[in-house]
């Protein structure tokens, strides 16, 4: 894959529960843009919310029947989340000896975390602006530690930080439901949302991506907050987003285009998978030669819901599709 511009990578989650098998598959498939896999099938704490809560500093959570809830001290669930993350890092370290490519690590962003984490009352932490600030500060500190650990383990890698923010649009639009399910929390002010994201993106000096596989990704807001890339489900784009995407690309933002379905299906030929990206480029009047530099090909979302065989095939398909985009941008 050497010299193939943006290239290809994965989103985060994979099926199964074997950390070594996952690390081996990812590093063997994405030779220039590996990532730290997440294996939610292992249970609470291995899911993306639990894993990110395990990174927090001086803020703890435990599992209730309704989801994750704030705790006074680190309990069994926090310890399990940290233990699994340690296991995943050990496996990644084993298969990245001498690795010098890009290495992506994912964490849930502050707004999706605030929408998913419950206060002791059972309501989402999202409803308390002070608690949201504390959560973002704790996450920033935890990520600094996590990134330092990763740099020690894989010293030659160029680390890319990804924030998973599938609830971001719902937070901005006031669509996150309350505990009763009958009402929604008030929309959070766009400047507050942008400010918290800017502070967290500033934790890492290198490339940083925000991922959402929900419709209505706020491209302009994410660019202003400092994201160098935006990761999204390409099939959910509408022409309404054309202007924002055109401005993003011209401003140097990378598009992590989720063009390969995240659950089992018959895969088209690799060139067919990126045909929509080529059409978008033509519609926006962008130079075809910039395609391979500006686009990273990914699955549309995490692959946790796929069969192991399909997950492997989808990742390999992303690599071939990226190559097709680089070889034949027209």
């Amino acid at each position: 894959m050497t010299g193939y511009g943006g290239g290809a990578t994965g989103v985060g989650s994979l099926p199964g529960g074997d950390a070594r098998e996952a690390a081996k598959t990812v590093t063997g498939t994405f030779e220039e843009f590996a990532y730290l896999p997440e294996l939610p099938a292992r249970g609470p704490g291995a899911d993306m919310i639990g894993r990110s809560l395990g990174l927090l500093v001086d803020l703890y959570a435990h599992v209730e029947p309704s989801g994750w809830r704030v705790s006074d001290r680190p309990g069994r669930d926090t310890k399990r989340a940290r233990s699994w993350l340690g296991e995943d890092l050990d496996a990644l370290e084993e298969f990245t000896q001498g690795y010098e490519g890009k290495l992506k690590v994912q964490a849930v962003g502050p707004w999706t975390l605030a929408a998913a984490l419950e206060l002791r009352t059972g309501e989402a932490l999202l409803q308390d602006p002070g608690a949201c600030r504390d959560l973002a500060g704790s996450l920033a500190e935890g990520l600094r530690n996590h990134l330092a650990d990763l740099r020690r383990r894989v010293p030659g890698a160029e680390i890319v930080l990804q924030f998973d923010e599938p609830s971001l649009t719902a937070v901005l639009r006031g669509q996150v439901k309350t505990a009763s399910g009958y009402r929604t929390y008030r929309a959070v002010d766009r400047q507050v949302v942008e400010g918290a994201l800017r502070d967290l993106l500033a934790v890492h000096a290198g490339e940083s991506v925000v991922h959402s596989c929900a419709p209505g990704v706020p491209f302009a807001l994410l660019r202003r907050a400092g994201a160098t890339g935006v990761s999204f489900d390409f099939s959910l784009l509408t022409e309404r987003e054309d202007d924002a995407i055109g401005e993003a690309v011209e401003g140097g933002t990378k598009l992590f285009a989720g063009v390969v379905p995240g659950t089992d299906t018959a895969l088209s030929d690799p060139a067919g998978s990126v045909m929509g990206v080529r059409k978008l480029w033509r519609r926006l009047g962008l130079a075809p030669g910039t395609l391979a530099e500006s686009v990273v090909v990914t699955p549309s979302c995490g692959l946790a819901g796929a069969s192991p065989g399909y997950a492997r095939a989808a990742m390999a398909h992303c690599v071939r599709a990226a190559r097709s985009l680089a070889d034949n941008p027209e």
Side-chain angles (χ1 to χ4, degrees):
M1 274 286 292
T2 306
Y4 282 99
T9 189
V11 172
S13 65
L14 289 177
D18 185 332
R20 288 187 75 252
E21 182 60 32
K24 184 181 177 184
T25 302
V26 164
T27 54
T29 306
F30 300 116
E31 293 174 6
E32 293 197 353
F33 205 150
Y35 67 96
L36 178 65
E38 297 162 6
L39 303 172
R42 293 179 296 193
D47 59 302
M48 69 178 206
I49 298 292
R51 186 186 192 99
S52 296
L53 292 172
L55 292 172
L56 299 177
V57 173
D58 296 333
L59 215 161
Y60 312 105
H62 64 278
V63 179
E64 291 276 341
S66 54
W68 288 90
R69 188 170 289 185
V70 169
S71 305
D72 291 326
R73 60 185 69 83
R76 189 181 60 213
D77 297 325
T78 300
K79 288 178 183 139
R80 192 168 50 207
R82 289 176 178 171
S83 162
W84 272 326
L85 177 59
E87 195 179 294
D88 293 341
L89 286 165
D90 288 345
L92 183 76
E93 185 177 359
E94 180 185 341
F95 290 102
T96 49
Q97 297 297 308
Y99 181 77
E100 292 186 340
K102 291 186 178 187
L103 177 59
K104 183 164 68 67
V105 59
Q106 306 80 226
V108 175
W111 297 108
T112 296
L113 214 50
L117 181 57
E118 296 174 359
L119 297 164
R120 289 173 183 81
T121 59
E123 294 295 344
L125 187 136
L126 182 66
Q127 73 165 25
D128 181 336
C132 285
R133 281 193 296 275
D134 290 346
L135 177 68
S138 172
L139 180 59
E141 199 172 334
L143 277 168
R144 281 189 198 98
N145 298 338
H146 184 37
L147 292 169
D149 183 25
L150 206 57
R151 281 190 284 268
R152 275 194 301 275
R153 289 171 179 268
V154 196
E158 182 189 332
I159 293 173
V160 177
L161 175 60
Q162 174 180 306
F163 284 108
D164 292 318
E165 279 283 15
S167 302
L168 183 61
T169 304
V171 167
L172 288 164
R173 292 179 179 171
Q175 293 169 339
V176 177
K177 284 190 163 59
T178 58
S180 69
Y182 296 123
R183 292 187 307 111
T184 55
Y185 298 109
R186 267 209 305 267
V188 181
D189 181 89
R190 293 183 83 84
Q191 285 179 307
V192 173
V193 168
E194 190 183 314
L197 284 169
R198 183 179 294 112
D199 290 348
L200 272 153
L201 286 161
V203 163
H204 178 53
E207 278 188 68
S208 51
V209 184
V210 177
H211 167 74
S212 170
C213 45
V217 175
F219 285 92
L221 181 149
L222 295 176
R223 280 182 58 220
R224 287 196 306 273
T228 62
V230 181
S231 168
F232 56 97
D233 179 343
F234 193 83
S235 70
L236 298 178
L237 281 188
T238 66
E239 294 197 10
R240 281 199 305 273
E241 276 116 350
D242 277 7
D243 288 349
I245 288 177
E247 283 170 22
V249 171
E250 286 176 341
T253 305
K254 277 211 170 128
L255 302 183
F256 285 66
V259 295
V260 178
T263 48
D264 293 40
T265 186
L267 292 168
S268 71
D269 68 301
S273 294
V274 285
M275 194 158 30
V277 181
R278 291 193 181 93
K279 281 184 181 159
L280 172 70
W281 238 244
R282 281 199 290 275
R283 208 164 68 225
L284 297 176
L286 296 165
T290 63
L291 249 176
E293 288 304 317
S294 301
V295 175
V296 180
V297 177
T298 73
S300 58
C301 210
L303 293 165
S307 66
Y310 177 79
R312 284 193 297 274
M315 289 192 287
H317 192 85
C318 288
V319 174
R320 288 196 293 274
R323 196 164 288 166
S324 152
L325 211 49
D327 289 345
N328 307 299
E330 297 286 354

